[in-house]
Amino acid sequence: MTKPLETCKNCEQQFNDEFNFCPHCGQQAKDELTVKVLFYNTISNYFSFDARFLKSFLPLLFRPGYLALKFIQGKRLLYLHPAQMYLFIAVVFFFLFSFIQRNQVRDLDEKLAKTLKKNQVIENIADQKLKDSIENARVEKKRKNDSIAAAAVKQALQNTKLPIGIEDKQLDSIFKAEKIDINDPMTFDFNTKVVDSLIEAGAAESEIYNAMGIGEDPGYFKRRLYAQGLKFYKSRKGGSILQAFYDTIPIAMFFLLPIFAFILKLLHLRRGTYAHHLVFSFYYFSFLFTVFSIILAVNYIIDIPDWIDFLIMLSTFIYLILALKRFYMQGWFKSLFKGAITSFVFLSIVTPITLVLLSFFAFLFY
């Protein structure tokens, strides 16, 4: 006798009517749409994630290398998946970092505005000195012959590159009144008054680039740099570049973490596949982001002394040594040596190169 068949509403495959769940996709066979059914999967998945996260969080902090070792040994449902834990903690970290990021962007814009104001003050004083010098030369011309007057005008022009002498005191008083940092070195390497006049007159960008010093026959790359430089000069806001830099960091982490795992692989060629080292890296970076999140949260409330921050950062290296020892089951000396090599290569080579590339990318595409 043929047993009655049921058709799954999800995958549309047929199965025995006696089954409570579809053997093909796992959906419940006969479920009426009720409030309970509507929220059951969401709530169960949430509490399943929450329970596994709580079981994983304390070992992550206080048992270095334990979660990674258990994961590769096959315990993959008891604890939170390494990639899932990394993504969750990274989201928390970048959320907390966004508060500091916002303040830094605003502070940079304010600093740039004061710097540009300082440059404008210097230019105005220099212009005034030039006018005064020329006027004095004209007065001198009435009393002396034309050759002496011409020499006086020439001398006046030569002495007007920068305000000096009595003008230094004038600058100091103006900067102090305007709360401008006198020692701020930020400036532009081109004649800003000429560029401003060209922008105001609606000149072509190529003409403005020439005034900025682009030179002859610039390539696409150089022209792109000057285009972004002009965009920056017009907006007078450096915070947008810094914001673009910060926005690229989460994306860069998806490349940095595999590179970290690759370094571990090179140092442990006979210790498992690359996936094993990637599991270790996910958990270790989860720990790093947890520590960074705690530092950000505490410093946001109270200002921790720098030496305490330094000790906390040093503890992350000690954590790495302990994690390597447990995960790779090797001695203290090998763990210390390989941990030092890994940290040196990653912090001294990989990270600086990444920062330069991110800065360059941020300037080109902000």
Side-chain angles (χ1 to χ4, degrees):
M1 181 176 179
T2 304
K3 295 183 178 180
L5 298 178
E6 179 77 18
T7 301
C8 177
K9 298 177 182 179
N10 179 56
C11 65
E12 299 182 354
Q13 297 289 329
Q14 291 186 332
F15 57 91
N16 195 314
D17 184 64
E18 296 178 353
F19 293 165
N20 293 323
F21 295 89
C22 173
H24 302 284
C25 68
Q27 177 171 291
Q28 189 171 349
K30 300 176 181 179
D31 57 334
E32 296 295 332
L33 184 58
T34 63
V35 174
K36 177 181 178 181
V37 173
L38 181 63
F39 291 101
Y40 173 78
N41 288 334
T42 302
I43 295 175
S44 62
N45 290 338
Y46 170 79
F47 283 106
S48 174
F49 169 85
D50 183 65
R52 285 184 291 132
F53 179 79
L54 293 177
K55 289 180 181 179
S56 306
F57 188 68
L58 291 181
L60 176 70
L61 291 182
F62 302 110
R63 303 186 70 179
Y66 175 81
L67 292 178
L69 182 61
K70 291 299 179 183
F71 189 85
I72 67 170
Q73 289 178 348
K75 295 184 180 297
R76 300 174 185 176
L77 294 179
L78 183 61
Y79 302 105
L80 196 61
H81 191 279
Q84 191 177 8
M85 170 167 277
Y86 168 76
L87 290 174
F88 176 77
I89 297 179
V91 168
V92 173
F93 167 76
F94 285 110
F95 170 75
L96 295 175
F97 184 70
S98 64
F99 293 97
I100 296 178
Q101 171 183 324
R102 190 183 309 119
N103 294 333
Q104 290 181 346
V105 170
R106 184 183 64 249
D107 292 343
L108 181 59
D109 284 337
E110 292 177 355
K111 182 179 180 180
L112 180 61
K114 290 182 178 180
T115 299
L116 294 174
K117 191 172 185 178
K118 179 191 74 172
N119 294 338
Q120 187 64 44
V121 169
I122 294 175
E123 291 176 358
N124 291 339
I125 293 178
D127 288 345
Q128 186 60 45
K129 183 181 178 183
L130 177 60
K131 294 176 181 178
D132 294 342
S133 300
I134 293 176
E135 182 63 28
N136 292 335
R138 288 174 179 172
V139 173
E140 191 72 12
K141 181 179 178 181
K142 294 178 181 180
R143 298 188 298 108
K144 298 182 180 181
N145 57 41
D146 292 342
S147 61
I148 297 177
V153 172
K154 182 178 180 180
Q155 185 64 33
L157 292 174
Q158 291 176 347
N159 292 333
T160 55
K161 293 181 179 180
L162 284 176
I164 57 177
I166 186 67
E167 283 77 9
D168 288 341
K169 296 180 180 179
Q170 185 179 2
L171 282 173
D172 292 344
S173 61
I174 294 175
F175 291 159
K176 185 176 181 180
E178 299 293 340
K179 297 181 180 180
I180 298 175
D181 185 5
I182 300 175
N183 299 318
D184 188 358
M186 185 182 296
T187 185
F188 295 101
D189 294 331
F190 52 83
N191 192 322
T192 57
K193 297 186 74 65
V194 173
V195 172
D196 287 339
S197 62
L198 290 174
I199 294 175
E200 186 175 356
E205 290 187 349
S206 58
E207 188 175 351
I208 300 177
Y209 295 158
N210 290 332
M212 295 171 63
I214 194 173
E216 298 181 358
D217 298 327
Y220 170 80
F221 181 72
K222 188 175 183 180
R223 182 173 291 275
R224 176 70 178 179
L225 287 177
Y226 272 83
Q228 292 299 96
L230 180 59
K231 177 182 177 182
F232 168 73
Y233 182 75
K234 287 181 177 180
S235 66
R236 309 295 175 95
K237 291 185 178 182
S240 56
I241 300 178
L242 183 62
Q243 182 66 55
F245 173 81
Y246 285 144
D247 290 342
T248 57
I249 293 180
I251 301 175
M253 293 307 302
F254 283 98
F255 297 95
L256 289 177
L257 193 149
I259 292 175
F260 186 85
F262 181 71
I263 297 173
L264 291 177
K265 175 61 179 176
L266 293 178
L267 295 174
H268 305 85
L269 292 175
R270 300 180 180 179
R271 297 278 184 167
T273 64
Y274 175 74
H276 290 192
H277 308 291
L278 197 58
V279 168
F280 179 90
S281 300
F282 270 123
Y283 280 122
Y284 179 63
F285 273 72
S286 298
F287 169 77
L288 290 179
F289 278 127
T290 300
V291 173
F292 296 158
S293 299
I294 294 174
I295 293 176
L296 289 177
V298 175
N299 274 287
Y300 190 80
I301 301 174
I302 58 173
D303 189 16
I304 301 178
D306 292 339
W307 64 271
I308 295 181
D309 288 335
F310 173 77
L311 290 179
I312 295 175
M313 297 304 297
L314 181 61
S315 69
T316 61
F317 175 71
I318 298 175
Y319 181 98
L320 175 62
I321 303 303
L322 297 174
L324 290 175
K325 184 179 184 302
R326 170 174 279 159
F327 183 75
Y328 293 104
M329 300 178 183
Q330 55 192 6
W332 284 106
F333 178 77
K334 286 187 176 181
S335 299
L336 178 61
F337 176 76
K338 294 181 179 181
I341 294 296
T342 303
S343 300
F344 175 79
V345 173
F346 190 78
L347 296 177
S348 301
I349 300 177
V350 177
T351 301
I353 293 176
T354 303
L355 292 178
V356 171
L357 293 177
L358 290 184
S359 302
F360 188 70
F361 181 87
F363 180 74
L364 287 181
F365 300 101
Y366 78 96

